[in-house]
């Protein structure tokens, strides 16, 4: 990747973080908010399958989110970096991914992120209530968004 792409990605990550933090109430449904930054990170990890760069991109975006939100520091950076690395590593290992493989990969990564994030931050809720009322609906909403984006702007 060249410098121009790095600057564009950084600006887009900052814009997505601002949208996610300040305007998430506009696109939430029944209090369920999708992680639009995660959509971007997964798509970038597939588009540029370099595990090291994806790990750095995910960690940097996650630490910015953690610092802005002020919640548990390190949870977002952990989940974003793990998912970005795993997606990029899988894509690099497999090479070409068909549409069904991409959708499966998107779904697994969203479910993994939701489980890690919500199990770590909502530990005061019972585990099944946490999974079925918070983590799963959020993951399903994010998966729907990434499917729609993939239909209209597919990545190779």
């Amino acid at each position: 990747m060249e410098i121009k792409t790095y600057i564009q990605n950084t600006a887009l990550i900052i814009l997505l973080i601002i949208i996610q933090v300040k305007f998430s109430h506009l696109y939430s449904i029944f209090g369920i908010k999708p992680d639009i930054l995660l959509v971007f990170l997964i798509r970038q990890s597939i588009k540029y399958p370099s595990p090291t760069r994806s790990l750095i991109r995910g960690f940097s975006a996650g630490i910015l989110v953690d610092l802005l939100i002020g919640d548990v520091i390190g949870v977002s950076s952990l989940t974003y970096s793990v998912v970005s690395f795993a997606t990029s590593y899988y894509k690099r290992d497999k090479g070409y991914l068909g549409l069904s493989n991409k959708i499966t990969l998107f779904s697994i990564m969203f479910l993994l992120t939701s489980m890690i994030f919500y199990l770590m931050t909502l530990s005061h809720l019972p585990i099944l209530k946490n999974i079925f009322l918070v983590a799963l609906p959020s993951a399903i909403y994010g998966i729907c968004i990434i499917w729609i984006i993939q239909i209209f702007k597919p990545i190779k």
Side-chain angles (χ1 to χ4, degrees), residues 30-96:
F30 299 115
I32 300 168
K33 301 172 186 171
D35 196 344
I36 58 173
L37 181 59
L38 183 62
V39 170
F40 174 75
L41 291 173
I42 290 174
R43 288 180 56 87
Q44 288 297 308
S45 296
I46 290 175
K47 191 173 182 180
Y48 304 108
S50 170
T52 307
R53 288 184 182 152
S54 295
L55 181 73
I56 292 169
R57 185 183 309 118
F59 181 81
S60 302
I63 205 74
L64 281 173
V65 168
D66 287 339
L67 291 174
L68 286 175
I69 293 176
D71 203 12
V72 181
I73 302 293
V75 174
S76 296
S77 57
L78 171 71
T79 56
Y80 289 161
S81 59
V82 166
V83 167
S84 295
F85 178 81
T87 304
S88 183
Y89 188 79
Y90 182 79
K91 168 68 168 121
R92 188 185 70 176
D93 186 48
K94 294 294 180 186
Y96 173 77

Side-chain angles (χ1 to χ4, degrees), residues 100-128:
S100 62
N101 288 344
K102 283 180 194 165
I103 290 175
T104 304
L105 182 63
F106 294 152
S107 302
I108 290 171
M109 291 304 151
F110 259 98
L111 289 172
L112 176 70
T113 302
S114 293
M115 293 301 181
I116 292 172
F117 185 75
Y118 290 114
L119 288 175
M120 293 178 89
T121 58
L122 296 176
S123 59
H124 64 281
L125 291 177
I127 188 85
L128 290 176

Side-chain angles (χ1 to χ4, degrees), residues 13-29 31-37 68-69 141 145:
I13 286 173
I14 291 170
L15 178 67
L16 288 173
I17 289 171
I18 292 169
I19 290 171
Q20 189 165 313
V21 170
K22 297 292 182 185
F23 302 109
S24 64
H25 64 281
L26 296 175
Y27 57 84
S28 68
I29 299 175
I32 300 168
K33 301 172 186 171
D35 196 344
I36 58 173
L37 181 59
L68 286 175
I69 293 176
Y141 192 7
I145 288 175

